[in-house]
Amino acid sequence: MPPKPAVVPGPDADAAKPARIAPASVALRVAFGNGGRLDPEDIALLETIRRERSILGASRASGTSYRKCWLMVDALNHTFETAVVETFPGRRGGGAELTVFGERLIALYRSLERQARKSGAAALAELTAALDPDYQPRASGGASADPPDEQPRSRSRPT
């Protein structure tokens, strides 16, 4: 059964128009065989470190705790044989910068993203066309919009 187009009443209510649904997007998460990973959050942090030239600056710019940023950098540096970020501790002149490999890592990730978008465009368009325009996301996937009419059963034994 083909999906039904949504009708959104507008200022000119005489003509019913299908609702516009934003196109789907792909978020690429790479899981490596050694247990390491690379995801959009890691790439965003690396790009912010590149711009801010320090982990603390990247932390402030992204609104992420310094500890989390530092742990993410540490995990990336341990995931690969070559360091991704090099740090220069110290009060004056301290900071961080991406290594040549760190720059290459971003370029390779962005290339994978482009390839995924290009190769998956037709499938994403088909999935987008099949979306229910009346869907309202809930805070939790486990919660039901309508509570059940029956009372929940007690797990304890009757006394």
Side-chain angles (χ1 to χ4, degrees), residues 14 18 43 62 77 92 109 120 137 147-148 157:
D14 55 20
I43 297 300
S62 66
N77 280 341
R92 291 191 172 88
Y109 181 87
R157 292 185 174 157

Side-chain angles (χ1 to χ4, degrees), residues 23-136:
S25 63
V26 174
L28 185 64
R29 181 179 191 272
V30 182
F32 298 107
N34 65 356
R37 61 149 176 80
L38 186 64
D39 60 27
E41 188 178 17
D42 295 319
I43 297 300
L45 175 62
L46 293 177
E47 291 174 335
T48 307
I49 289 172
R50 177 201 291 149
R51 186 177 64 251
E52 299 293 327
R53 300 187 54 89
S54 80
I55 297 172
L56 181 59
S59 164
R60 290 176 178 155
S62 66
T64 306
S65 75
Y66 173 78
R67 184 174 193 280
K68 180 176 179 180
C69 289
W70 189 90
L71 289 172
M72 289 171 67
V73 166
D74 189 57
L76 286 169
N77 280 341
H78 283 93
T79 296
F80 301 99
E81 290 181 342
T82 305
V84 177
V85 175
E86 194 169 337
T87 59
F88 307 100
R91 288 181 164 238
R92 291 191 172 88
E97 65 181 27
L98 299 183
T99 63
V100 172
F101 178 72
E103 294 288 350
R104 182 73 179 139
L105 183 64
I106 292 172
L108 289 170
Y109 181 87
R110 294 297 183 206
S111 175
L112 282 170
E113 274 186 327
R114 283 189 301 277
Q115 291 173 34
R117 274 195 307 269
K118 185 177 177 181
S119 66
L124 285 175
E126 184 177 339
L127 289 171
T128 300
L131 292 176
D132 178 0
D134 297 325
Y135 172 72
Q136 294 294 320

